[in-house]
Amino acid sequence: MLTTVAKGMVEGLFRFGVKRVYGIIGTSILDFIDALYDFKGKIRYVTTRHEQVAVSMADAEGRLTGKPGVAVVHTGPGFLNTLISVGNAYKDCSPLVLISGAVAKKLSGLDSLHEVNQRSIIAPITKAQYRIDDPENAVKILADAFNTAATPPQGPVFIEVTEDVWNRSVDYNFDMCKYLFKKPPIPKDEDVEKAIKYVEKSERPIIVAGGGINNIDSSKKLLELISCLNIPIVTTGSGRGVISELHPNNLGRVGFGGGSIVADKTLENSDLVITLGCGLSDITTYSYILMPKGDIILINLDEKTEKKPIQYSEWFYCDANMFLKKLVEKIKKLDLRRDYKDWWAEIGKWGKRWNIMLEGALKRKYEGKANPSKFFKELNEHINENIIITAGQGMHILYTYAFLKIRGPKSFLAATNLGAMGFAFPAALGAKIVHPDKEVISIVGDGEFMMTIQDLETAFRENIPVKTIVVNDFSYRVLYYRQKLQKAGRLYGTLLKNPDFVKLAESFGAQGIRVDNDAEAKTAIEEMLQEDKPVIIDLIIDPNDMPPFNLEASLKMTSH
């Protein structure tokens, strides 16, 4: 049966199980949006107020479901607005399909209105780039794109469609619209046995768990592993929640931008590091300054590992989830058990040092402002495994690492590896649409929130009751602090004036709550969680408040 390219691609999305498309309409995709109209009851089209937001919503969907989120944007300006969000997805291995219009074929290459070389621009931050200017290839390209995005290591792909091709008619075969990607290499039995030999001779082992195993099945296997081998676990930002951070073996996030002293010191002093679903990066090691002293075994699919200045004892290029499963099976069969009492005693000393730092932060008092450490400790008392936390970048995120305990897999989403601001609030919108039964809380700085605040309108119009905590210090605080410490207090371009976030929230139809003292924290959090509409908590804090983090390693890193 003949159908247009636009209708064929929408049918293809439906065949791949796509339930939502995020984006902003434009002339170059008008026909595609019109085709979506006929699928209203099957595919939800979510219009946003900025393309960066649309792509981050799709990115969040990909992270949570493991299947590509989909965004569609206008050519040229609309396309260019997506790049930060595509970069986040690329750096954090999130499956995403971005569809963009393109100028008509006859205008291509003539420096036409809206024309930029989209595929060349986006190539460094996508797994693949496609162009549809021949209607015969449209559905095949869509199928290739989905399979490429979904193939581990996952990531974003880009499709541009020339404006003049949407309404061309073709008889398509939609049988190709299914996942047929090649599965990652299966771990070899001898490689698993090699890893066990390293474990048997180790006295101070550690597991670094990354996003590649952050799922329910691997979470169960990891718990089985540590029931046999009492090994400490640290996580990357993307690995948070792989097992509950309330579990005594989970020492929390490691590395720059949120690592605790206990996690960092345990990594640095280990004699065996096993990375599962991640590698050791400049983030994990504070720009390769905080380095483990013993053997390092890498189980990951990231080919960029070869470029990093780390000597691995072993690198097993295979599915980390399957490796973990085989590792647990063999350890159980061998009845291998270790408790590492001396190692845990040493770790306990760093834990006490970290706890003293946390307690010190909680004792601070401010006039007319809240103590953010106290606020987030109180928030921690109200969260559970049914809550998703999203976070962007900035000094405020350190409170989420120090005081919030993530309870389960895929319960924490952050722009970990690109370090871009502007991810948290859009990701929360996407997460709430995917999981309407879960509470979703975005934690943003005032500088970050102002970058995507226009999409409060999207939250209200689309009935997405996300909760947002604005850590409001009236500054770009990371740079404010660095100017104070490293530039003799020569503050320039880091102090801000903000709107009244409570009134602004109310103007968008959201609930606004201001917290400027510690006594209001519990009531505000309870009120936020009881509301069934978007809520903004304006948390007023002192920009000079220092969140708990590994200051020594951070300063050492910045001095090199």
Side-chain angles (χ1 to χ4, degrees):
M1 179 179 175
L2 287 174
T3 188
T4 65
V5 169
K7 291 180 179 179
M9 290 190 69
V10 174
E11 176 68 29
L13 295 179
F14 177 70
R15 297 289 185 102
F16 271 106
V18 172
K19 294 181 172 62
R20 289 158 290 270
V21 172
Y22 309 92
I24 297 181
I25 196 168
T27 55
S28 65
I29 56 169
L30 180 62
D31 296 316
F32 179 79
I33 301 301
D34 185 63
L36 277 174
Y37 186 90
D38 294 329
F39 279 73
K40 267 187 174 182
K42 300 173 182 176
I43 298 176
R44 179 179 177 182
Y45 175 53
V46 181
T47 295
T48 63
R49 304 306 295 265
H50 196 285
E51 291 84 358
Q52 178 182 355
V53 172
V55 177
S56 284
M57 290 177 75
D59 176 3
E61 177 156 337
R63 295 180 194 224
L64 290 170
T65 66
K67 295 180 179 179
V70 179
V72 58
V73 298
H74 180 39
T75 186
F79 160 81
L80 291 171
N81 275 342
T82 70
L83 296 178
I84 289 175
S85 296
V86 174
N88 281 331
Y90 181 73
K91 294 281 279 186
D92 289 340
C93 298
S94 175
L96 170 74
V97 173
L98 173 62
I99 300 170
S100 169
V103 300
K105 192 173 180 180
K106 67 180 181 180
L107 299 176
S108 179
L110 302 179
D111 195 24
S112 304
L113 175 66
H114 296 148
E115 185 180 23
V116 294
N117 192 336
Q118 297 182 152
R119 283 176 294 159
S120 294
I121 291 169
I122 207 167
I125 52 173
T126 50
K127 290 183 68 179
Q129 313 80 42
Y130 304 90
R131 177 177 172 86
I132 298 175
D133 55 15
D134 179 351
E136 297 287 341
N137 298 329
V139 171
K140 182 182 184 305
I141 285 175
L142 184 72
D144 287 347
F146 265 81
N147 278 288
T148 299
T151 300
Q154 296 181 323
V157 300
F158 173 67
I159 304 172
E160 66 174 8
V161 186
T162 59
E163 186 176 349
D164 55 338
V165 82
W166 288 116
N167 283 322
R168 302 276 294 278
S169 295
V170 178
D171 187 5
Y172 289 118
N173 175 12
F174 291 103
D175 291 343
M176 66 181 77
C177 292
K178 53 189 174 183
Y179 290 109
L180 296 169
F181 60 84
K182 185 179 179 182
K183 293 184 178 180
I186 296 173
K188 300 175 183 176
D189 288 343
E190 54 264 37
D191 290 341
V192 177
E193 289 163 5
K194 272 186 188 178
I196 291 174
K197 290 188 185 306
Y198 279 95
V199 171
E200 287 176 327
K201 69 178 183 179
S202 170
E203 297 297 330
R204 301 189 308 279
I206 185 174
I207 290 173
V208 182
I213 63 163
N214 196 352
N215 56 72
I216 292 173
D217 289 340
S218 285
S219 177
K220 292 176 181 176
K221 290 300 174 187
L222 202 53
L223 287 170
E224 287 183 47
L225 177 65
I226 59 180
S227 70
C228 299
L229 304 174
N230 192 25
I231 296 178
I233 294 169
V234 298
T235 70
T236 64
S238 297
R240 288 193 78 185
V242 61
I243 64 170
S244 172
E245 291 180 341
L246 296 174
H247 194 288
N249 284 59
N250 190 341
L251 305 182
R253 160 87 145 78
V254 69
F256 177 69
S260 68
I261 288 174
V262 61
D264 291 343
K265 286 290 186 183
T266 304
L267 176 67
E268 185 179 17
N269 290 277
S270 62
D271 66 3
L272 173 64
V273 176
I274 300 174
T275 75
L276 289 165
C278 62
L280 294 185
S281 67
D282 60 311
I283 299 173
T284 319
T285 62
Y286 292 84
S287 291
Y288 306 106
I289 290 171
L290 188 152
M291 293 294 292
K293 297 177 171 59
D295 291 310
I296 302 172
I297 298 175
L298 179 76
I299 300 108
N300 195 24
L301 290 169
D302 185 5
E303 294 178 350
K304 295 187 288 294
T305 292
E306 294 178 341
K307 299 178 181 178
K308 295 176 181 177
I310 295 176
Q311 292 296 318
Y312 295 103
S313 305
E314 305 284 351
W315 176 20
F316 303 133
Y317 185 82
C318 63
D319 183 341
N321 297 284
M322 184 62 71
F323 192 98
L324 175 59
K325 182 180 178 182
K326 284 193 169 188
L327 183 66
V328 171
E329 288 172 355
K330 287 186 179 294
I331 283 173
K332 282 185 168 182
K333 190 174 181 180
L334 291 168
D335 196 25
L336 181 61
R337 296 185 178 275
R338 299 284 298 277
D339 56 25
Y340 305 108
K341 286 183 179 178
D342 292 341
W343 181 217
W344 277 107
E346 194 171 355
I347 291 169
K349 295 175 184 177
W350 300 316
K352 287 179 182 178
R353 180 178 162 192
W354 177 241
N355 287 332
I356 289 170
M357 186 177 290
L358 297 181
E359 289 165 8
L362 291 168
K363 291 177 181 176
R364 298 173 195 150
K365 295 183 182 298
Y366 297 99
E367 187 67 32
K369 295 180 175 66
N371 178 340
S373 295
K374 281 187 177 180
F375 180 91
F376 283 100
K377 187 175 187 299
E378 181 65 41
L379 179 62
N380 187 60
E381 299 301 315
H382 290 78
I383 65 173
N384 54 42
E385 64 278 356
N386 205 43
I387 289 181
I388 296 173
I389 302 292
T390 68
Q393 285 295 323
M395 193 171 282
H396 64 279
I397 199 175
L398 299 179
Y399 300 108
T400 74
Y401 287 117
F403 294 104
L404 292 187
K405 302 298 183 183
I406 305 304
R407 311 300 209 262
K410 297 186 183 296
S411 297
F412 180 80
L413 307 180
T416 300
N417 292 304
L418 184 62
M421 293 195 291
F423 173 81
F425 180 59
L429 296 175
K432 186 63 177 176
I433 288 177
V434 173
H435 290 301
D437 56 321
K438 294 193 175 188
E439 195 72 73
V440 180
I441 304 172
S442 66
I443 297 169
V444 298
D446 53 308
E448 175 178 21
F449 191 42
M450 289 295 288
M451 296 177 179
T452 57
I453 197 169
Q454 72 284 333
D455 275 273
L456 269 173
E457 188 275 335
T458 302
F460 181 70
R461 167 174 39 83
E462 293 285 343
N463 190 26
I464 312 172
V466 298
K467 313 300 164 59
T468 301
I469 297 166
V470 183
V471 184
N472 189 355
D473 51 40
F474 297 88
S475 69
Y476 291 127
R477 190 156 47 132
V478 172
L479 283 307
Y480 166 83
Y481 246 108
R482 291 191 66 170
Q483 286 178 337
K484 284 186 67 176
L485 295 174
Q486 296 175 306
K487 302 299 177 185
R490 290 157 56 89
L491 302 179
Y492 198 44
T494 52
L495 296 176
L496 308 171
K497 291 187 180 297
N498 290 324
D500 184 324
F501 286 118
V502 171
K503 289 182 179 178
L504 192 60
E506 292 169 349
S507 74
F508 278 107
Q511 173 75 22
I513 305 170
R514 178 172 292 105
V515 176
D516 57 13
N517 65 79
D518 298 333
E520 295 173 341
K522 182 178 180 181
T523 302
I525 291 167
E526 290 174 347
E527 184 180 347
M528 173 187 75
L529 294 175
Q530 288 167 2
E531 287 288 346
D532 193 27
K533 64 178 180 179
V535 177
I536 307 296
I537 288 185
D538 186 10
L539 181 65
I540 308 297
I541 73 162
D542 192 316
N544 295 302
D545 185 80
M546 179 74 81
F549 71 110
N550 193 338
L551 178 61
E552 179 184 352
S554 299
L555 289 175
K556 190 175 180 181
M557 180 186 83
T558 56
S559 67
H560 281 69

